Amino acid sequence: MLARRRLEPNVPLKFGIGLILVGLGFLVLVAGAAPRGALTPALFIVLVYLFHAMGELCFSPIGLSSMTRLSVTRMTGLMMGTWFLSTAAGNFIAALIAQTTGAASAGPDTILNVYTRIGGFSIVVGLGVAALSPLVVRLMHLDTIADTSNVADTVAV
């Protein structure tokens, strides 16, 4: 719908929006933290899932498409492998965060502090990516990418 109106955000801007949404999800998690003994309202849990799912939709399909479209034909597999390697690195970092927040010595204040920092950092980086998106789009040279609808024409013999 946005593409028909020529309002669709470019790829780097979608990455920035995704980072901002993930950061907002963590801040909603912190905002919904109930005092000891009280239950967290379900609305906060729904909002966390909503923001994180929308952020993931800004990353995964867009990133996979970009890796394929922007890489040199012979290096497409390597670039896709690099994309999935970055996912593995993210999972490793998530494990480190889980160790920090799941340790017996980590109290509620430590956990909320970690999630506040993650949320704030994600939003700041997302705003930076969004601000740099026009420059990145120019560096992507989208106007020079060949039409790959007929693969036989693009493969060197």
Side-chain angles (χ1 to χ4, degrees), residues 73-74 146-148 150-157:
T73 305
R74 293 185 178 144
D147 179 22
T148 58
N150 187 357
V151 177
D153 292 340
T154 59
V155 177
V157 179

Side-chain angles (χ1 to χ4, degrees), residues 22-120:
V22 167
L24 286 174
F26 278 107
L27 294 181
V28 164
L29 184 67
V30 171
R36 252 202 206 294
L39 297 175
T40 299
L43 175 65
F44 288 102
I45 305 302
V46 170
L47 286 175
V48 168
Y49 275 106
L50 176 71
F51 282 129
H52 284 181
M54 289 182 352
E56 172 64 21
L57 288 173
C58 289
F59 293 132
S60 189
I62 309 307
L64 289 171
S65 171
S66 297
M67 292 296 113
T68 304
R69 188 177 49 173
L70 294 174
S71 65
V72 177
T73 305
R74 293 185 178 144
M75 300 208 38
T76 301
L78 177 65
M79 291 296 105
M80 292 296 288
T82 304
W83 175 260
F84 288 115
L85 184 62
S86 69
T87 302
N91 286 331
F92 177 75
I93 293 169
L96 294 176
I97 293 168
Q99 285 177 346
T100 303
T101 58
S105 62
D109 292 334
T110 302
I111 295 169
L112 293 178
N113 186 24
V114 168
Y115 288 143
T116 301
R117 287 181 180 199
I118 292 170

Side-chain angles (χ1 to χ4, degrees), residues 120-142:
F121 182 75
S122 297
I123 290 173
V124 168
V125 171
L127 291 172
V129 169
L132 292 174
S133 68
L135 172 65
V136 174
V137 167
R138 280 197 305 272
L139 293 173
M140 289 168 63
H141 298 290
L142 294 174

